[in-house]
Amino acid sequence: MLIKAVETQNEMEDALKVRHRVFVQEQQVPEDLEIDQHEDEAIHFVAYDHHTPIAAGRYRMVEAFAKVERICVLKERRGSGIGRLLMNEIEKQVSKKEIGGLKLNSQVSAIDFYKSLGYDITSEEFMDAGIPHVTMIKTL
């Protein structure tokens, strides 16, 4: 298992392939919402299992927070711990910077996962791309 910050165009394409399968194909998020205006400013991550991309995510700076976004794991790999490893790698990279915390908008179905990583809910439920979400924060 390898989790890394995206450095090449091929790695970026691998991350986008995972995101497309999870968000567009599986969750029916419109493609024009999944790929957004923040792609170039974000730091992207991709997870591989024997050179096959299986998970992806990104973060970008929003005010005083590293905003974690687009965290996804291929359906057949969920429950394997790769999501936790991906989040740990993102947090490790963020902790090297002078940032007080991380922020994310969690799908309601993933709240328990993020709570297990130390995130707290800070908003009421809201809809994003037709899916219920809440905002969560973790202080470093």
Side-chain angles (χ1 to χ4, degrees), residues 30-41:
E31 195 159 3
D32 63 331
L33 294 179
E34 202 290 303
I35 302 293
D36 67 14
Q37 70 274 20
H38 304 296
E39 301 299 340
D40 291 340
E41 70 186 85

Side-chain angles (χ1 to χ4, degrees), residues 10-126:
N10 283 342
E11 291 169 350
M12 185 65 196
E13 289 171 9
D14 287 343
L16 291 174
K17 284 178 195 171
V18 173
R19 286 172 46 185
H20 188 271
R21 277 187 57 192
V22 172
F23 296 122
V24 177
Q25 293 178 341
E26 179 186 336
Q27 297 182 356
Q28 303 299 305
V29 172
E31 195 159 3
D32 63 331
L33 294 179
E34 202 290 303
I35 302 293
D36 67 14
Q37 70 274 20
H38 304 296
E39 301 299 340
D40 291 340
E41 70 186 85
I43 307 298
H44 297 266
F45 292 80
V46 63
Y48 293 97
D49 185 11
H50 297 94
H51 306 290
T52 300
I54 60 169
R58 72 181 192 190
Y59 79 87
R60 63 188 174 93
M61 295 309 302
V62 176
E63 298 166 359
F65 291 94
K67 187 165 188 254
V68 180
E69 301 172 317
R70 305 300 196 272
I71 300 299
C72 57
V73 176
L74 294 180
K75 188 174 189 172
E76 62 271 18
R77 298 307 297 264
R78 290 182 201 145
S80 68
I82 190 63
R84 182 173 301 279
L85 293 173
L86 175 63
M87 288 298 295
N88 288 343
E89 183 61 28
I90 291 171
E91 290 178 15
K92 185 173 120 182
Q93 296 298 321
V94 169
S95 70
K96 295 177 184 178
K97 304 174 186 288
E98 295 293 321
I99 299 170
L102 299 106
K103 181 178 187 175
L104 55 82
N105 292 333
S106 170
Q107 292 183 5
V108 169
S109 62
I111 289 172
D112 288 341
F113 169 70
Y114 291 114
K115 279 186 175 182
S116 77
L117 293 171
Y119 287 79
D120 295 310
I121 297 172
T122 61
S123 78
E124 296 296 320
E125 189 175 304
F126 61 92

